[in-house]
Amino acid sequence: MAIKKVGLQTVKFQNPPSIISTYTIVGPKEGEGPLKDYFDYVLEDDVWGQASFEKAEAKIQEETIKAAITNGNLTNQDIDFLLAGDLLNQIVSSTYTARQLSIPYYGLYGACSTMTESLSLGAMLVDGRFADKVVCATSSHFSSAERQFRFPLEYGSQRKFSSQWTVTGAGATILSSTGDGPYITYSTTGKIVDKGVKDATNMGGAMAPAAIDTLITHFNDTGFSPSDYDLIISGDLGRVGKAIVLDLMKKEGYDLSNLFTDCGVEIFDGDKQDTHAGGSGCACAAVVFNGYIYKEMKKGNLKRVLLMATGALHSTIINQQGESIPGIAHAITIDINKD
Amino acid sequence: MDYVKAFIVGGLICVIGQVILDNTKLTPAHILVSFLTAGVILGGIGLYEPLVRFGGAGATVPIIGFGYSLAQGAIEGAKANGVLGAFTGGITSTAGGIAAAIIFGYIMSLVFKPKTKN
Amino acid sequence: MENMTNKEYQQYAEKKIPKPTYFKNMLMAFLVGGIICTIGQFIRNWLFNSGLDEKAVAGGTAIILVFLGALLTGLGVYDKIGKIGGAGAAIPITGFSNAIVSPAMEHRTEGLIFGVASKMFIIAGPVLVYGVSSSVIVGILYVLLTKGR
């Protein structure tokens, strides 16, 4: 009997895991954005003394996880599982990070939905008493993502207005069976939703249907309404995706206008930083959650938040073969109270 | 006067490319290939030569001029050496540009590192 | 959402994308492309005046422009020109040079054989494939059409 499952896709945690520590590292551009004061460490250069952008990304993730563990007054031996993933082929940033940490490791691929994918799985491990302490982490890097998904850095091309800017950085969260919150109380696992968008320069448009599907399912499964939340925030839909979600959710009877925003919209200054539709990448939701949202919850300014990281689960190869972009969105409820 | 003609002809060719880029889902790589192939065809049937005579570098510097050059070379080769010349002519006439791109590309990759955008 | 077909959604999502700044893009493409071609004309005139024949001038101009494109790519300037000029920077032969040099630099981290040398053509390779192939076809057609005369 799945006694903790409610509705179609939602888990209600009986012993909600507590977030006991977080850490974020971001690149220089993110460190100039509107949320700069919420990040724990801002890099002066995004290579960080490494020989390549891929190695730099792995180092960023490694240092983020180490600092999150230290911040929680823990050692690596105290951690039961590491759940991590990233955007690079074969999730190398996470694996080469795990190589340095000697913590039992599950590698995840959820593209930019990895933060909430890892948090919901981590919360299940803790609530199910398979673990006392779990680290959930993810990273992305503008330059390593550009070369894998788009063009060389020095290639002179114009970015479309729908295109987004991959966030350089990493975020890590430590979940514990004990602690004084905030707590993860619900998680709604997303289904793949693919409305046939093939344009890889419009990720927000490709992922928005998945976000809408997960939101509606979450409200149906839990019986909550949008006003039960102080903030509903998606991962990296950007300006285009955010507008679609607001518009289509209204048609479904949910008015989210003053509640809903997107991490990708918030992380950069759209007028000054020339990021077009906003931020994207695994780190987008990771640093906005572990930086801004967590700290505002600790201060008591936000009491109940629905975090929904969104992922575009295509590859350049299958996209060139004519396939469309499958989207996914996983939502978690984070609450300063246990119930 | 040379310079004005080159500026206007070259600029207009680029505007055509920009209009295609902004109104379709084609990438710059698609534009390069289609402009080049268009140059080969127009050069092959003799329609591009008047533009070269009028616009000078304005017609030869854009990639469509590279295609024109390939076609001219292939035709000259065919005139001189038949089928063999048809094979060798195009590359012969554009060898300088291609070889330059390869060797300078190699050198630049040794000297410079790509820089992150901001 | 469910009552929207895939096609309806795609058209809807397309409409949510802000339109490109058409006029500004065209103007900048005209200016940047025009300036590069004017520089090309300057090089052409200079080579002509130093006594070279038409073929040598054409080859020399191409080599010098390719070098300038490569150098500006190496210095990290050409991507900025491309951002401003769009097709105006991509279509001149300096853009061809940029398309070869930028992946070569980018993949230096994977070594000189599988990195630099093999990745050099990931963007500009198709240009050579289609250019050379179509020129051979043009040459053969010329041979076939003029054979009977």
Side-chain angles (χ1 to χ4, degrees), chain B residues 74-75 77-79 81-87, chain C residues 135-149:
Chain B
I75 289 173
K79 270 184 196 162
N81 298 314
V83 174
L84 180 67
F87 276 85
Chain C
S135 82
V136 171
I137 293 170
V138 165
I140 289 176
L141 283 177
Y142 183 85
V143 172
L144 294 177
L145 293 174
T146 54
K147 213 176 176 182
R149 291 187 207 167

Side-chain angles (χ1 to χ4, degrees), chain A residues 31-70:
Chain A
E32 290 166 3
L35 301 180
K36 58 178 189 234
D37 297 331
Y38 290 97
F39 302 131
D40 295 300
Y41 188 77
V42 177
L43 297 174
E44 277 170 30
D45 80 286
D46 64 354
V47 188
W48 213 1
Q50 303 300 297
S52 72
F53 296 122
E54 288 77 9
K55 291 177 188 179
E57 183 180 334
K59 176 167 176 179
I60 292 170
Q61 194 185 124
E62 181 189 335
E63 297 300 328
T64 302
I65 293 173
K66 280 188 192 161
I69 293 171
T70 315

Side-chain angles (χ1 to χ4, degrees), chain A residues 20 30 38 50 59 62 92 95 125 151 158 217 271 284 312:
Chain A
I20 56 167
E30 293 71 21
Y38 290 97
Q50 303 300 297
K59 176 167 176 179
E62 181 189 335
V92 283
T95 302
L125 287 173
F151 295 115
Q158 286 174 326
T217 308
D271 298 324
C284 188

Side-chain angles (χ1 to χ4, degrees), chain A residues 51-54 143 146-147 151-159 161-162 194-199 202 204-209 212-213 216 240 243-245 247-248 251-252 274 276, chain C residues 1-2 4-7 9-10 12-14 16-21 25 73-74 76-79 82-87 90 95 98-99 102-103 105-110 122-123:
Chain A
S52 72
F53 296 122
E54 288 77 9
S143 300
E146 279 299 296
R147 72 190 316 212
F151 295 115
L153 292 171
E154 300 296 348
Y155 182 57
S157 64
Q158 286 174 326
R159 299 168 63 246
F161 280 145
S162 56
D194 187 342
K195 288 296 230 177
V197 174
K198 292 181 180 176
D199 182 1
N202 186 14
M207 296 187 291
I212 292 164
D213 187 75
I216 293 174
V240 175
I244 293 174
V245 169
D247 189 18
L248 294 183
K251 283 182 187 149
E252 300 282 345
D274 195 28
H276 293 199
Chain C
M1 190 83 236
E2 252 121 58
M4 230 174 180
T5 66
N6 284 8
K7 196 151 189 216
Y9 177 76
Q10 286 155 31
Y12 164 82
E14 194 67 30
K16 289 279 173 186
I17 301 174
K19 292 277 161 282
T21 45
N25 289 2
T73 304
V77 177
Y78 208 87
D79 63 320
K83 195 184 156 203
I84 299 165
N98 172 249
S102 58
M105 285 168 64
E106 181 84 22
H107 292 279
R108 172 69 183 87
T109 44
E110 286 85 66
I122 52 172
I123 305 170

Side-chain angles (χ1 to χ4, degrees), chain B residues 43-103:
Chain B
I45 55 180
L47 284 182
Y48 201 71
E49 197 155 1
L51 196 65
V52 173
R53 259 186 267 122
F54 176 79
T60 55
V61 169
I63 193 88
I64 188 166
F66 193 73
Y68 159 75
S69 207
L70 278 164
Q72 286 299 103
I75 289 173
E76 277 172 35
K79 270 184 196 162
N81 298 314
V83 174
L84 180 67
F87 276 85
T88 57
I91 296 189
T92 309
S93 72
T94 52
I98 297 172
I102 292 173
I103 180 74

Side-chain angles (χ1 to χ4, degrees), chain A residues 29 46 51 53 142-143 151-155 157-158 160 165 199 201, chain B residues 18 21-29 32 113-118:
Chain A
K29 190 179 176 91
D46 64 354
F53 296 122
F142 173 80
S143 300
F151 295 115
L153 292 171
E154 300 296 348
Y155 182 57
S157 64
Q158 286 174 326
K160 303 268 181 195
W165 191 279
D199 182 1
T201 65
Chain B
Q18 188 68 38
L21 272 183
D22 281 346
N23 289 289
T24 65
K25 295 279 172 203
L26 298 179
T27 67
L32 281 185
K113 275 191 167 179
K115 284 177 272 297
T116 295
K117 293 180 194 265
N118 47 35

